[in-house]
Amino acid sequence: MSKRIAIVEDDDAIRENYADVLRHQGYQVQSFANRQSAEAAFTVRLPNLVILDIGLHDEYDAGFELCQWLRAKSSTLPIIFLTARDNDVDTVSGLRIGADDYLTKDISLPHLTARIAALFRRQDAQNKPVEQENLIERGPLVIDSQKMTIKWHNQYVELTVTEFWMVFALAKSPGHVKNRQQLMQDSQIFVDDSTITSHIKRIRKKFSKIEANFNCIETVYGMGYRWNDADIVSLVGQSNAGA
Amino acid sequence: MNLYSTRSKNQGFIRIGLRTKLLILSSFLFTIPWFGYQYVWEMEKYLRYGQEQTIVGTARALATTLHDRPNLFDNQASFLASVEKGKDLYGFQIRQPIQLDGRYNDWPDFEGKAHFYEDSNIIWQEPNQTVSLRFNAAVGKYDKYLYLFFNVVDDKLVFRGNNARSIYLNDHLTLSLTAPDGEHQQYIVSNKNAGWIESFQLDNQTNRPQPINYIQGVWQPNNTGYNVELRLPLDYVGNKIGFSFADVDTPSSKATSLVGSANTSDPEQLGTILVPSPEIERIVKGMSYTQSSIWVIDKHQRVLASAGDINSASGVWRSTASTNANSGIWPTWWHWLQTNLLHPLYYKVLTKPTQDFYDQLYDESHLAGEHIEQALSGEVHSQWRLSTDKQAVILSAAYPIYIDEQVQGAVIVEETTNGIKTLRNKALEQLFTSILAILLVGTISFFFFASRISNRIRQLRNHAEVAIDEHGRVKEDLPALKGNDEIGDLSRSFSTAVSRLTQYNQYLENLSSRLSHELRTPIAVVRTSIENLSMYPIPENAKAYIERAESGVHRLNHIITSMTEATRVEQLLQRTEKQSFNAYEVIASCISGFKQIHPETTFNFQAPNQKANVLGSPEHFAQMLEKIVTNAVEFSCDAQVEIMLITVKKNLILTVKNNGELLPETMENRLFNSMVSLREEALVNSESSLQSSQPSSKSQPSPNSQPHLGLGLFIARLICEYHQGQISAQNCFDPNGVQINIEIPLTE
């Protein structure tokens, strides 16, 4: 049975473009131009994934309201924000109220469909047993590329899809410096440098919740970021302390 | 910069501040004293006029009591048509008792009041004989006696022989007068020796001398002759008198000459004697309480009576002026201030009327003056004159006395203007005090007013100067000054203008992010449409167009991303917590990165001090450095970038220098503004690559041939300001190039 995707977007052209692509991919697509019609439809039946625009016609924060409303109805429903608003405040608020990902309209359609597929995969993977070849282990870090989950010291780190791809890109080749351009390509987003910086900061913060002195993601000023294995970091720390 | 130039433009003129102008204007206050002085002067004029009227009134009043009372003048020689000096005598009023000792030192002003009898007064002389006798004679009145003093110069003094019966064969004095009853009397003073005089009366019928004792006196010889001082009761003295000295040079022989005031043997030829009349004096004395000096004269201008002393005659104003001298409403400190500070100051300008002046204009036997002459001719007249020593101004009024419609005398009343002067001084003192107070208060309040205004304007100017920096950016809002006046209005207008400018600036600075936001949706439409399109089978020859459209959309996307970058950085900076980090390490790390990113460029990094702790965000610091270095790399023409880190005092100074094209002068300050770019080449390149697929032979397209929006240095500025630093660009020479300086305060 094909997945049902709902798109809430006030711009007809974009909405239809997205809908066409997704239908092409074999999804069932419902499209809504405003919050009221979307809510009415969702009350009847929830889709499998929702793509939300934030500003709908006159309502500046309609997407956020809709997201909260949906989260109240279901905690597992994947929600993606797809918006023109790329400022940090909106990104943070969007993710904080429960969205699984926050994408800007710069994203290309293949990337969008990949994200959607990834989200569905993650959802499906929750119930499947862990397959060993999908697991990458870096000391206390365990990445399940199938389920798109990351564990740190055996605790799940609540990362968005974008953040997941970033950590994945860094941890796949520890010790190698990934510059921002590479990170963008790997995490399939198209943003500016400072957005990368703030994503990294957020990732660090999420890891720090589990381990207060988490320092595996190292900033290489002027170049990018690098994943340092925990034991290497501790060794470096010791040698620094010794020196 | 601009302010400085506008200010220096005015330096050709003398710069007069508001305060100075107000002070100059307020100096017109100083005309008030002048007006006050003029006013008081006018007042004094009227007072003088009033005093003149009063004094004339006094004279009139006195004259009225003396009109048509001939008996007062009867026994005086006032009715003579004329008086002859030396013959008609005037008995001065002597104020102190006279000692009969033959010396005139107790006679007041003997020299001045005596008449000198000489050749012209020879009554009779022996033919062929020279007259060797002269004398000075003075007549005075004291109490009830008439005093006479003769100072005789005689080459030979001959006394009466001891046994001589005749009283004429020696130097002798003949005194001839009419008694009050009109009878002619002759007295001879003929001494046997020096000392008490021996006086005789000649019997009218027989001419025989009878010794008498009511004429007393002394005959006192001296080196040049002798003095005779004598007195006789006024009861014997009528209104005619004459005296003569007979000069005898050989003892017991007849006199050779007779010198005197009149022929004493002929009662018709006697001169008159005027003795100040006690009756008139009594009347006059009644008037002497009027603070005036009063004279009554006969028509020969001789004083009949006088009362009052001119030195204390300061007029009726005197009493008025002195009554309010010490009113007790003022506190003692005020009194002290007045006497020790104000009055000494005032009396540098004012003159205090003195009572110690000296006035001796009048000879009592002959008062002279225009007013007197006028009065004696029947006109009332008053005049102002200075005292003899010019210390006081004296007002004199003369009023004629009529007897039988004939002017027989005059009343002269004199007063000084001291009363008025005192009054005027009092008025001026008060005027000066008030004016001083007004000036003091006025000037001080003017000064404070001016200071306040100029301070407020200065404050406004300072705010205005600070509000907008040299880059033309609004740094801080202009506070609206309180004050419901023009300066307040001006300040509020400024404040409004600046806040509007701020809004406009914000609008401009946010323009890129708004624009990007608004453009993003249509671009998404285009892009998704193209992407959708590419899913369908497309003819081969149309694919190129799809590709071009995609590349165009890609470029648009890039533009929009960089446009939002500045806003993004600003927002991120606002929320980024500051941490202390070593800038040296960040720079060193960055440079190793730059070497990989720009392998063709040589980076020369100099840092004498490897510790430069700065409070801020190392990521953003690196971003700032990246922007500047990227800029330097692109503009460098010899592929060399010099980076220098030094610490001066408490600042970190980072210099990034490249050799290349110089900045146009006007750009130095604008370089760090949003959307300012000098990279024309890059734009030309991208345009040319758009228009023709063949790359131009002249300029190689740079590896990232992307359009530049001039946001790199703007972002660098934002980050630098986040670190509380300053960023500036300047041209450097030898080799020519541009260096960007960053100054950031260090932490401990």
Side-chain angles (χ1 to χ4, degrees):
Chain A
M1 199 185 92
S2 60
K3 302 277 188 189
R4 273 175 294 108
I5 297 175
I7 301 173
V8 186
E9 163 68 60
D10 56 349
D11 190 284
D12 297 342
I14 295 181
R15 189 178 65 237
E16 288 316 313
N17 276 348
Y18 288 148
D20 285 351
V21 170
L22 292 174
R23 282 195 193 105
H24 217 257
Q25 299 272 324
Y27 298 111
Q28 288 181 36
V29 181
Q30 294 171 283
S31 61
F32 306 98
N34 56 51
R35 186 171 64 88
Q36 287 77 18
S37 60
E39 266 183 29
F42 296 156
T43 317
V44 178
R45 192 180 180 197
L46 280 177
N48 295 106
L49 186 140
V50 183
I51 297 170
L52 290 176
D53 190 9
I54 298 175
L56 295 174
H57 298 294
D58 300 338
E59 292 178 86
Y60 189 75
D61 279 340
F64 287 151
E65 287 170 29
L66 209 52
C67 176
Q68 277 175 308
W69 185 80
L70 282 169
R71 254 306 152 251
K73 284 182 96 69
S74 163
S75 60
T76 54
L77 176 68
I79 301 172
I80 298 174
F81 276 114
L82 183 64
T83 176
R85 275 147 69 170
D86 62 346
N87 62 59
D88 216 44
V89 181
D90 285 333
T91 315
V92 172
S93 346
L95 294 174
R96 208 169 266 170
I97 58 178
D100 291 275
D101 214 346
Y102 189 100
L103 303 172
T104 57
K105 284 179 182 171
D106 305 311
I107 196 163
S108 66
L109 289 178
H111 282 171
L112 179 68
T113 51
R115 285 297 169 96
I116 289 165
L119 270 174
F120 279 132
R121 199 167 66 243
R122 182 157 79 169
Q123 204 180 26
D124 294 343
Q126 298 297 327
N127 307 320
K128 287 183 184 171
V130 177
E131 287 176 38
Q132 211 57 37
E133 63 264 33
N134 290 329
L135 288 185
I136 302 170
E137 281 187 53
R138 297 277 179 261
L141 179 78
V142 180
I143 302 176
D144 186 343
S145 59
Q146 186 65 41
K147 287 189 190 172
M148 293 177 71
T149 56
I150 285 178
K151 273 186 184 173
W152 182 252
H153 287 292
N154 280 323
Q155 284 182 45
Y156 281 107
V157 185
E158 296 291 329
L159 298 175
T160 68
V161 179
T162 307
E163 289 161 358
F164 170 81
W165 287 122
M166 278 189 176
V167 176
F168 185 77
L170 286 170
K172 206 162 62 180
S173 47
H176 287 249
V177 176
K178 292 265 179 189
N179 66 29
R180 293 188 176 85
Q181 207 64 39
Q182 289 169 313
L183 278 176
M184 277 188 229
Q185 281 168 7
D186 289 351
S187 55
Q188 300 177 340
I189 53 167
F190 191 83
V191 288
D192 59 60
D193 292 3
S194 45
T195 309
I196 296 284
T197 309
S198 61
H199 273 303
I200 293 287
K201 276 195 171 173
R202 248 193 315 270
I203 293 168
R204 277 184 183 147
K205 221 178 263 175
K206 284 178 177 176
F207 275 96
S208 298
K209 274 183 191 165
I210 296 165
E211 187 186 343
N213 52 354
F214 170 82
N215 57 358
C216 286
I217 300 175
E218 188 198 353
T219 311
V220 184
Y221 297 112
M223 292 164 78
Y225 301 93
R226 162 166 71 188
W227 181 273
N228 286 329
D229 279 344
D231 47 344
I232 297 171
V233 171
S234 62
L235 274 175
V236 169
Q238 275 166 13
S239 68
N240 277 350
Chain B
M1 196 83 162
N2 286 338
L3 276 164
Y4 177 76
S5 62
T6 47
R7 250 188 264 167
S8 62
K9 221 182 270 177
N10 291 337
Q11 274 171 1
F13 305 98
I14 303 164
R15 190 175 137 87
I16 302 175
L18 267 182
R19 216 183 315 203
T20 323
K21 280 179 188 161
L22 259 172
L23 276 183
I24 291 170
L25 284 180
S26 67
S27 66
F28 283 109
L29 275 179
F30 287 88
T31 53
I32 296 175
W34 185 77
F35 280 112
Y37 189 76
Q38 289 298 314
Y39 174 75
V40 172
W41 196 250
E42 281 292 305
M43 185 194 79
E44 194 193 353
K45 225 165 81 183
Y46 284 105
L47 283 181
R48 278 176 187 230
Y49 181 71
Q51 192 183 17
E52 213 172 324
Q53 294 305 306
T54 315
I55 204 171
V56 168
T58 309
R60 187 193 296 122
L62 185 56
T64 311
T65 61
L66 298 175
H67 282 323
D68 289 325
R69 291 174 74 171
N71 57 325
L72 288 179
F73 295 85
D74 249 2
N75 57 350
Q76 314 297 334
S78 306
F79 304 112
L80 286 181
S82 68
V83 290
E84 194 183 321
K85 196 130 178 124
K87 184 177 173 188
D88 296 303
L89 300 173
Y90 177 77
F92 292 99
Q93 182 73 47
I94 298 168
R95 312 259 171 216
Q96 73 264 27
I98 301 286
Q99 195 185 352
L100 294 171
D101 55 1
R103 279 188 297 228
Y104 53 76
N105 49 5
D106 50 356
W107 283 70
D109 190 29
F110 173 80
E111 306 281 357
K113 288 181 174 166
H115 185 75
F116 187 54
Y117 295 85
E118 45 169 5
D119 295 355
S120 58
N121 299 99
I122 297 169
I123 299 162
W124 165 88
Q125 73 182 98
E126 197 79 356
N128 305 322
Q129 289 281 329
T130 53
V131 179
S132 58
L133 184 134
R134 287 134 180 70
F135 66 92
N136 270 316
V139 186
K141 178 199 136 186
Y142 181 75
D143 201 13
K144 287 171 181 165
Y145 291 95
L146 184 71
Y147 284 79
L148 291 117
F149 193 100
F150 303 99
N151 172 226
V152 185
V153 179
D154 189 13
D155 53 346
K156 257 183 198 143
L157 167 59
V158 177
F159 283 114
R160 187 152 62 95
N162 271 340
N163 301 315
R165 278 177 57 96
S166 169
I167 56 170
Y168 303 110
L169 299 177
N170 50 6
D171 289 332
H172 62 272
L173 162 69
T174 311
L175 199 60
S176 176
L177 43 84
T178 52
D181 56 5
E183 200 179 340
H184 180 235
Q185 296 289 346
Q186 268 190 296
Y187 304 96
I188 307 283
V189 176
S190 178
N191 264 30
K192 281 183 178 165
N193 41 38
W196 202 252
I197 58 163
E198 296 163 42
S199 52
F200 306 89
Q201 186 185 14
L202 293 187
D203 189 88
N204 277 345
Q205 276 77 45
T206 60
N207 257 6
R208 295 180 76 167
Q210 292 283 321
I212 48 160
N213 57 3
Y214 55 83
I215 295 180
Q216 296 147 354
V218 164
W219 189 297
Q220 197 67 47
N222 58 23
N223 293 339
T224 56
Y226 51 90
N227 290 344
V228 180
E229 186 175 20
L230 54 82
R231 71 174 188 188
L232 72 160
L234 278 172
D235 301 341
Y236 293 89
V237 184
N239 57 4
K240 288 199 165 186
I241 196 166
F243 47 77
S244 62
F245 275 93
D247 186 21
V248 175
D249 287 338
T250 321
S252 305
S253 61
K254 280 194 167 180
T256 57
S257 60
L258 193 65
V259 181
S261 69
N263 191 349
T264 45
S265 53
D266 183 0
E268 296 303 314
Q269 284 188 31
L270 291 181
T272 56
I273 172 92
L274 180 71
V275 178
S277 157
E279 287 97 323
I280 297 176
E281 205 147 275
R282 218 170 45 243
I283 294 168
V284 167
K285 209 171 176 193
M287 300 293 287
S288 67
Y289 301 105
T290 53
Q291 299 274 0
S292 318
S293 165
I294 298 168
W295 310 76
V296 178
I297 57 166
D298 68 2
K299 65 178 177 183
H300 306 302
Q301 304 174 6
R302 298 181 301 180
V303 176
L304 297 177
S306 71
D309 176 18
I310 186 71
N311 288 42
S312 59
S314 45
V316 284
W317 296 113
R318 177 105 191 141
S319 47
T320 323
S322 54
T323 45
N324 54 4
N326 276 325
S327 41
I329 54 163
W330 293 102
T332 44
W333 65 266
W334 175 249
H335 190 73
W336 182 87
L337 189 74
Q338 256 191 336
T339 47
N340 288 313
L341 205 76
L342 299 179
H343 286 181
L345 187 72
Y346 298 159
Y347 283 99
K348 289 210 186 305
V349 187
L350 304 177
T351 49
K352 212 169 202 139
T354 174
Q355 293 194 6
D356 298 331
F357 64 91
Y358 167 74
D359 183 47
Q360 204 60 60
L361 192 70
Y362 297 152
D363 175 6
E364 285 181 33
S365 63
H366 184 82
L367 296 195
E370 204 202 338
H371 57 303
I372 296 168
E373 279 157 27
Q374 292 269 348
L376 290 178
S377 66
E379 301 254 334
V380 184
H381 196 79
S382 61
Q383 73 163 27
W384 297 89
R385 64 179 175 87
L386 284 171
S387 64
T388 319
D389 60 357
K390 298 196 168 131
Q391 291 286 308
V393 178
I394 296 169
L395 171 63
S396 315
Y399 201 90
I401 302 169
Y402 289 95
I403 293 169
D404 290 335
E405 295 179 3
Q406 290 285 312
V407 177
Q408 290 300 346
V411 174
I412 299 157
V413 180
E414 294 203 324
E415 280 174 5
T416 58
T417 55
N418 284 359
I420 287 175
K421 264 193 182 166
T422 312
L423 204 65
R424 184 197 70 185
N425 284 355
K426 274 259 168 319
L428 283 178
E429 277 168 27
Q430 282 175 4
L431 180 79
F432 287 167
T433 308
S434 327
I435 282 165
L436 264 182
I438 290 171
L439 283 185
L440 213 66
V441 172
T443 312
I444 288 174
S445 48
F446 259 124
F447 184 78
F448 275 110
F449 179 64
S451 298
R452 199 174 132 64
I453 285 187
S454 67
N455 280 346
R456 286 172 68 201
I457 293 178
R458 200 176 305 136
Q459 204 185 344
L460 189 61
R461 182 197 68 197
N462 291 345
H463 281 313
E465 265 175 40
V466 171
I468 295 175
D469 68 2
E470 68 263 30
H471 304 296
R473 289 195 308 262
V474 179
K475 281 207 298 205
E476 59 187 60
D477 275 349
L478 201 67
L481 293 181
K482 282 172 193 161
N484 194 13
D485 57 6
E486 286 83 351
I487 297 174
D489 290 346
L490 184 65
S491 134
R492 283 186 284 276
S493 313
F494 268 147
S495 180
T496 317
V498 167
S499 75
R500 279 179 193 155
L501 195 61
T502 313
Q503 284 167 14
Y504 183 65
N505 272 10
Q506 278 171 355
Y507 165 75
L508 281 185
E509 294 195 345
N510 291 334
L511 185 65
S512 61
S513 76
R514 282 159 193 261
L515 209 57
S516 72
H517 179 80
E518 291 306 318
L519 286 178
R520 190 158 270 163
T521 308
I523 289 171
V525 172
V526 174
R527 206 197 47 247
T528 50
S529 303
I530 293 170
E531 279 169 355
N532 272 345
L533 186 65
S534 57
M535 289 176 201
Y536 296 97
I538 298 160
E540 207 48 45
N541 49 5
K543 272 187 181 163
Y545 299 110
I546 297 280
E547 272 170 31
R548 283 180 197 168
E550 269 180 343
S551 86
V553 167
H554 181 72
R555 201 152 47 217
L556 267 177
N557 233 343
H558 183 82
I559 290 172
I560 284 164
T561 310
S562 29
M563 272 165 76
T564 50
E565 192 180 5
T567 329
R568 186 70 54 78
V569 168
E570 216 169 351
Q571 283 171 351
L572 277 177
L573 285 172
Q574 276 170 11
R575 299 194 299 122
T576 305
E577 278 179 25
K578 287 185 180 176
Q579 63 184 90
S580 183
F581 65 94
N582 189 348
Y584 169 78
E585 283 173 9
V586 175
I587 296 167
S589 162
C590 284
I591 287 168
S592 67
F594 298 149
K595 282 176 182 167
Q596 293 182 16
I597 298 165
H598 309 285
E600 73 288 352
T601 308
T602 319
F603 293 93
N604 299 321
F605 180 41
Q606 292 175 345
N609 192 345
Q610 302 204 339
K611 190 170 177 293
N613 282 345
V614 166
L615 194 68
S617 155
E619 281 92 358
H620 288 108
F621 190 87
Q623 197 180 352
M624 170 181 75
L625 192 65
E626 194 192 323
K627 298 286 178 198
I628 294 166
V629 169
T630 308
N631 193 66
V633 167
E634 281 172 28
F635 279 97
S636 168
C637 57
D638 58 357
Q640 289 217 339
V641 173
E642 280 179 47
I643 300 165
M644 199 161 75
L645 173 73
I646 51 170
T647 51
V648 176
K649 288 179 186 168
K650 288 188 170 176
N651 285 323
L652 165 156
I653 294 175
L654 178 66
T655 311
V656 178
K657 195 162 152 187
N658 68 284
N659 302 326
E661 209 177 320
L662 292 176
L663 290 173
E665 273 183 30
T666 50
M667 285 299 287
E668 278 182 23
N669 290 324
R670 285 176 50 212
L671 200 60
F672 298 98
N673 288 353
S674 175
M675 306 277 223
V676 173
S677 177
L678 288 174
R679 263 173 279 222
E680 291 169 30
E681 242 178 288
L683 281 172
V684 169
N685 280 348
S686 53
E687 275 169 26
S688 63
S689 65
L690 260 181
Q691 281 160 5
S692 66
S693 52
Q694 283 193 330
S696 67
S697 55
K698 265 168 86 184
S699 56
Q700 291 284 88
S702 53
N704 48 346
S705 67
Q706 286 169 334
H708 284 277
L709 293 169
L711 285 163
L713 290 180
F714 175 65
I715 288 168
R717 193 196 91 203
L718 289 177
I719 295 171
C720 187
E721 283 171 359
Y722 167 76
H723 288 89
Q724 280 157 6
Q726 284 178 334
I727 188 164
S728 63
Q730 69 183 90
N731 287 324
C732 54
F733 303 93
D734 196 27
N736 286 353
V738 176
Q739 74 175 48
I740 286 169
N741 304 313
I742 290 168
E743 201 175 330
I744 289 173
L746 292 170
T747 54
E748 292 305 316

